[in-house]
Amino acid sequence: MSNLRIGVINWDCSVPSSTYFGFHATKSLSPAKYRDRTPFYANVLGNDKIDYPVRDQASYDRELQYAIDAGIDYFAYCWYTDEIIDRNTIDTTNPAYTVDGMLHEITRMRKHHMASTLRNRINLCAILVCSHIYSDGDMDRLASAMKEDCYEKIGGRPLVYLFGGFHPEYLPRLHRACDAVGLPDPFAVFFNGGGPSQSDKDYSVMDGVSNYACCGTRMDTYAELVAHLRRANDLRKDFGIPLVPQFTMGWDPTPRILNPVPWVPYPDVPYAAQASHEEFLAGAADLADWIEENRDLLVPEHILTFAWNEFEEGGWICPTWTPDGEPDTSHTDAFRDVVRYWRERL
């Protein structure tokens, strides 16, 4: 694929422990046994204590440069509300909603991306999280961002992913916001972990289907996770709309089992071990085989990868912390070689 586009999911909650999200993120990764998945920019304050600084533009530009060097074409950011929500309006009985009043804490990184001098070298797009709240102002600001050259587009249409199915109101509202600024309707791809479960849903209103993460459980090896991913990619063919094939850098949320977060539970079962460089390449070859077998069913020339910075869930490309201060780029280097392999073969 001469025009192959490599997208990578970016969920950045690396904010100080004094914040809602930072409190849970630093608690999850503080145990010393998780230092190999601690991001390079963290402050390690002891054997079992980390914190995150308030990161500035220069810090994030350094991270963007690592991503560019790894061959990533765009980040797909979980694009949360910019507004502080009145917690009295939130259904606090639902764990998925209890975080809504704090989501403005984790919008900083995609704003740094938009402001970066590197933004002409790595694009971005939005993942709307359909269980959360978006105002009309949020939709207008997203449509404005979609006008920028650095916003990823497919056939001239701004790309947007939807997590948690597709909210019946969000896509029409985004259509109206785009129309107001002279943009075509977004190219909308929703996330689903497998095949259709509701035969009466009109999936034809969507342009494509993919997934956020491959949540394989009760397995020991990355090869087993890759086999699980292949089955999930296959199941999504039953939606009858084009697919964006998914690749994974791992799935092991054990830090959040030891120190649970309030918004999502995880079963206490075996998860796949971290992959080696060679295992990542074998996984890339398996996905390339699948793409060649299913080319006529795919959104052309796109692959979406989990993830840049899901350190707590076990999928990351971003360099990690070492005692000597020189970031561990083993996953970054492996993914660079994965991308090279795909570009040469596909």
Side-chain angles (χ1 to χ4, degrees):
M1 293 183 186
S2 59
N3 297 312
L4 181 63
R5 302 294 292 172
I6 307 298
V8 175
I9 285 167
N10 189 312
W11 187 79
D12 198 324
C13 69
S14 298
V15 289
S17 61
S18 57
T19 65
Y20 179 87
F21 280 99
F23 170 81
H24 292 290
T26 56
K27 187 176 182 181
S28 293
L29 288 187
S30 275
K33 64 180 178 178
Y34 297 130
R35 208 55 69 239
D36 61 346
R37 60 168 84 185
T38 300
F40 72 93
Y41 47 77
N43 295 326
V44 176
L45 306 175
N47 285 338
D48 292 294
K49 179 65 175 176
I50 71 164
D51 207 343
Y52 294 124
V54 176
R55 300 180 64 206
D56 60 14
Q57 187 68 53
S59 172
Y60 196 65
D61 282 355
R62 183 184 182 192
E63 189 173 340
L64 282 177
Q65 187 63 59
Y66 279 122
I68 292 165
D69 292 344
I72 296 169
D73 292 304
Y74 69 92
F75 277 147
Y77 287 92
C78 291
W79 200 282
Y80 296 113
T81 179
D82 287 310
E83 299 178 10
I84 298 176
I85 298 169
D86 180 357
R87 291 185 63 79
N88 293 322
T89 68
I90 297 169
D91 177 10
T92 56
T93 65
N94 186 334
Y97 288 79
T98 57
V99 302
D100 278 359
M102 308 296 179
L103 289 171
H104 60 279
E105 293 179 349
I106 49 175
T107 62
R108 190 181 184 95
M109 295 304 105
R110 48 105 166 164
K111 292 176 181 177
H112 278 324
H113 191 143
M114 292 289 295
S116 176
T117 57
L118 298 173
R119 70 182 196 156
N120 63 333
R121 299 178 59 197
I122 179 169
N123 282 359
L124 78 166
C125 75
I127 301 171
L128 290 182
V129 184
C130 294
S131 60
H132 297 312
I133 296 170
Y134 294 95
S135 70
D136 289 342
D138 289 321
M139 294 297 181
D140 291 342
R141 284 185 288 272
L142 175 53
S144 179
M146 287 174 165
K147 293 189 71 174
E148 299 293 331
D149 290 341
C150 65
Y151 194 95
E152 185 71 12
K153 298 174 179 70
I154 295 180
R157 297 168 61 191
L159 173 62
V160 62
Y161 292 102
L162 293 96
F163 185 96
F166 46 95
H167 193 287
E169 296 178 1
Y170 284 170
L171 202 54
R173 287 171 60 199
L174 185 56
H175 287 175
R176 291 193 292 271
C178 287
D179 184 63
V181 295
L183 283 173
D185 287 347
F187 191 98
V189 178
F190 77 102
F191 288 150
N192 191 279
S197 59
Q198 299 180 41
S199 58
D200 59 339
K201 261 195 190 303
D202 184 9
Y203 296 107
S204 66
V205 302
M206 307 300 292
D207 297 288
V209 59
S210 190
N211 198 27
Y212 188 90
C214 181
C215 306
T217 61
R218 293 182 172 85
M219 55 185 60
D220 297 313
T221 67
Y222 179 74
E224 292 176 271
L225 182 63
V226 167
H228 181 74
L229 176 66
R230 174 181 273 261
R231 290 191 293 271
N233 277 325
D234 272 332
L235 286 170
R236 282 186 282 276
K237 290 189 279 187
D238 290 339
F239 285 103
I241 56 178
L243 288 83
V244 176
Q246 184 191 20
F247 185 67
T248 183
M249 294 296 287
W251 178 256
D252 175 15
T254 52
R256 289 185 179 172
I257 295 172
L258 179 62
N259 289 295
V261 296
W263 55 88
V264 61
Y266 303 86
D268 190 0
V269 295
Y271 294 93
Q274 287 184 29
S276 67
H277 196 115
E278 292 73 21
E279 287 172 315
F280 283 129
L281 285 172
D286 186 86
L287 183 62
D289 290 342
W290 187 89
I291 288 172
E292 289 178 336
E293 294 165 8
N294 295 281
R295 242 182 238 280
D296 59 334
L297 303 176
L298 307 182
V299 173
E301 301 181 319
H302 272 263
I303 295 172
L304 184 64
T305 294
F306 175 87
W308 176 253
N309 50 6
E310 286 280 16
F311 307 103
E312 297 161 65
E313 290 187 328
W316 72 90
I317 301 169
C318 179
T320 50
W321 182 90
T322 65
D324 63 8
E326 188 65 29
D328 178 357
T329 62
S330 56
H331 279 208
T332 322
D333 296 341
F335 193 69
R336 176 201 62 214
D337 289 347
V338 162
V339 172
R340 285 176 178 169
Y341 172 82
W342 284 334
R343 294 196 192 282
E344 291 171 2
R345 176 173 170 182
L346 297 173

